[in-house]
Amino acid sequence: MDSWDRFVFTFFNAQVMATYLPRIVEGFFLTVQLALLIVISGLALGLLLAVVRSFGIRPLNWLIIFLVDLFRALPPLVIIVLIYFGLPSLGAAPSGFVSTWISLTLVLAAFAEEIVWGGILAVPKGQWEAARSTGLGFATTLTHVVLPQALRLSIPPLTNRTIAITKGTALGSVVAVAEILSVASGAVGFSSNPSPLTLGAIAYLILFVPVVAFGRWVETRFAWKR
Amino acid sequence: MIRRRTRVAAEPVMTGPAPIVAAPIVAASGIHKHFGALHVLKGVDLAVAERELVFVIGPSGSGKSTLLRCCNRLETPSSGRIIVDGIDLLDRHTDINAVRRRIGMVFQQFNLYPHMTARGNVTLALRKVLGKGRAEADEIADAALARVGLAEKANAYPLELSGGQQQRVAIARAIALEPRVMLFDEPTSALDPELVGGVLAVMRSLREAGMTMVVVSHEMGFARAAADRVVFMDHGLVVEEGPPAQIFGAPEQERTRAFLRQLDH
Ligand SMILES: Nc1ncnc2c1ncn2[C@@H]1O[C@H](COP(=O)(O)OP(=O)(O)O)[C@@H](O)[C@H]1O
Ligand SMILES: [Mg+2]
């Protein structure tokens, strides 16, 4: 066996791949599910926090700023482990899936809040004044005049951040979530052959290349012309 | 909607042979405004009668914008009293949004909503403040845009319009609400010279239609031609006021003379 054959046998072992493909596919769909949940709840919570913050209620804003800084500072893996191993002692016992979902949702929400808040601040004061001078109230001005502009400014950084955090689903392998990486490394153990990891990498590419391409498209589509 | 209307006694304003007996549309008195330690308005009185065009001039930083912005409470005066169309603006119980829709404001930087078409800019308040349906709001908006000569630009976005056109859309946005008074803060200062005329023409047509207007501007030619009264402000005080012929022809105060002299250079 020359070195090329050895390389193919090790990383592209057709027999091993065929055996574990169904499980990798299952892991793929679980990852998609987890990622979608994180994106939806993380962005929604982040947007909600930014909107609440814009009402300028002091104690509430201190709380928001504290939480946002906390979840931006902690490594996501630390949060996952804390929730998975720490919450049971408080009476709740979330599964690995739920722990990962909650953790990455909080992290994404924290970053999204900061980005959207930055967008709200970047909308010129004159926009508020023009709207208020026609008799529009604070909330209507926020939702109809300021937020549409703030979100447009936020979309490129938000897309990048969302992609980065969603890749954190791989961290779920640490708390027994049967997502792609977890399934693939398990298969490597069983088969004593790394080919399942190749499959896993391909699965990640199939999942994230379209997402990254979408992000690129969004960035050019919403580039702010002035 | 809870709104307490504080009617003020009619205060006859004697200008010329025909006395105007109606209460002034805008009656600001003893207005002081501090920004921190900065004392920007130092007891300003301003009364604007119905259908009157009052022109406010003065050096940069003299408090003209601040005075105008106090008249729709974009700034809250530190003390004083402002009655607009019979409503006490500084009364805690006044529904400020209800008053503001009777006070149109036009800004130096236009401040159009960039994500909405010209029609969308005009209909937003019609729908969300006056509660009009889409069809009716569109109709009113198109009529307002026609009044400023932009009927064919209803579907254009602000970025697709020249500065002069944007400012005219901003005027349409304000007049669509049928305000009792229009406040203009340097409406032509951000425009290229060749675009100023179109905006001034719209303002003149508003005046001819009987709109009450307060205009802060450096367009002295327009003031001479269209103003009923010119108010000269300096350092947060009204130094002198009178008909344009008097202020421009024979100003009494040395500070007014100095300001006008320096404009000529
Ligand atoms: N929001 C603000 N905060 C602090 N200072 C202000 C503010 N708005 C205006 N000023 C100050 O008040 C003074 C008068 O400003 P302004 O009313 O804009 O004058 P004008 O319109 O006559 O040029 C200036 O010194 C200006 O710097
Ligand atoms: Mg000014």
Side-chain angles (χ1 to χ4, degrees), chain B residues 86-129:
Chain B
I87 299 165
D88 186 345
L89 232 59
L90 305 182
D91 186 326
R92 280 189 308 115
H93 302 281
T94 297
D95 175 353
I96 189 63
N97 294 330
V99 189
R100 277 181 180 152
R101 71 184 189 218
R102 303 148 170 268
I103 309 171
M105 187 163 215
V106 173
F107 302 84
Q108 183 175 353
Q109 299 298 337
F110 332 134
N111 298 349
L112 291 185
Y113 315 132
H115 59 299
M116 293 181 190
T117 61
R119 185 186 286 124
N121 267 272
V122 181
T123 53
L124 182 65
L126 288 169
R127 295 179 48 131
K128 298 293 166 190
V129 179

Side-chain angles (χ1 to χ4, degrees), chain B residues 158-180:
Chain B
L159 284 168
E160 301 162 349
L161 300 172
S162 74
Q165 290 171 331
Q166 288 188 52
Q167 192 61 298
R168 281 147 64 195
V169 172
I171 293 174
R173 174 171 69 184
I175 62 175
L177 297 168
E178 300 185 354
R180 295 286 279 141

